[in-house]
Amino acid sequence: DLGLARAQVGGTHVTTLLAGTGGFLDPNCSITGHFDASSDGYAFGVMLLMLLTGRRAFEGGETLIDFCSDLGVDVLADARCGWPLSVAAEVLAVAQGLVMTPRKKRITTAEARARLQAAAAPPPDQGGAVERE
């Protein structure tokens, strides 16, 4: 669903064509018809929440955003995945930053990528190699 909202310029006006799957489409975009990079970021944030929780974007009559709104990472992180708590917490924080309302407070997808890369990076070497005999 990333990048499905597109503008078509024709003559004297711009028409926005919206397409997407329920739960992924930025609510602000669907209400106003205006989209920007944060709209794609919203869909990316939903995808991150799906990875973290093992749930679908829309399940049981509730969006994943609503489901995750009041729960902590210890409850949300899918135990079957064996998430390290610090990584799960950062994935949740990044996802929340991408789906934040109002959308002008959202983090950028570039910031999200950098934070996720840092969270996934192995810890720095703690003192050099150890020789084996």
Side-chain angles (χ1 to χ4, degrees):
D1 281 29
L2 302 177
L4 286 178
R6 292 287 179 245
Q8 287 189 338
V9 179
T12 60
H13 68 283
V14 175
T15 303
T16 303
L17 300 176
L18 297 176
T21 304
F24 286 92
L25 189 60
D26 179 357
N28 189 56
C29 187
S30 62
I31 292 168
T32 66
H34 294 80
F35 68 95
D36 58 21
S38 74
S39 300
D40 280 345
Y42 183 92
F44 183 48
V46 172
M47 185 187 70
L48 288 174
L49 290 173
M50 290 175 65
L51 290 170
L52 179 67
T53 64
R55 293 176 58 97
R56 294 186 172 142
F58 190 79
E59 190 173 300
E62 181 177 43
T63 68
L64 186 54
I65 303 298
D66 289 341
F67 175 78
C68 294
S69 65
D70 294 327
L71 299 174
V73 70
D74 54 327
V75 174
L76 291 173
D78 188 347
R80 298 171 294 179
C81 295
W83 287 94
L85 187 58
S86 62
V87 173
E90 186 62 7
V91 169
L92 178 59
V94 167
Q96 289 171 331
L98 288 164
V99 301
M100 184 176 290
T101 301
R103 72 189 218 176
K104 64 184 174 186
K105 291 187 175 186
R106 292 180 188 166
I107 64 172
T108 65
T109 53
E111 181 182 345
R113 186 186 77 215
R115 288 176 58 182
L116 292 171
Q117 286 175 329
D125 188 9
Q126 298 293 324
V130 177
E131 291 187 30
R132 294 183 182 210
E133 294 183 30

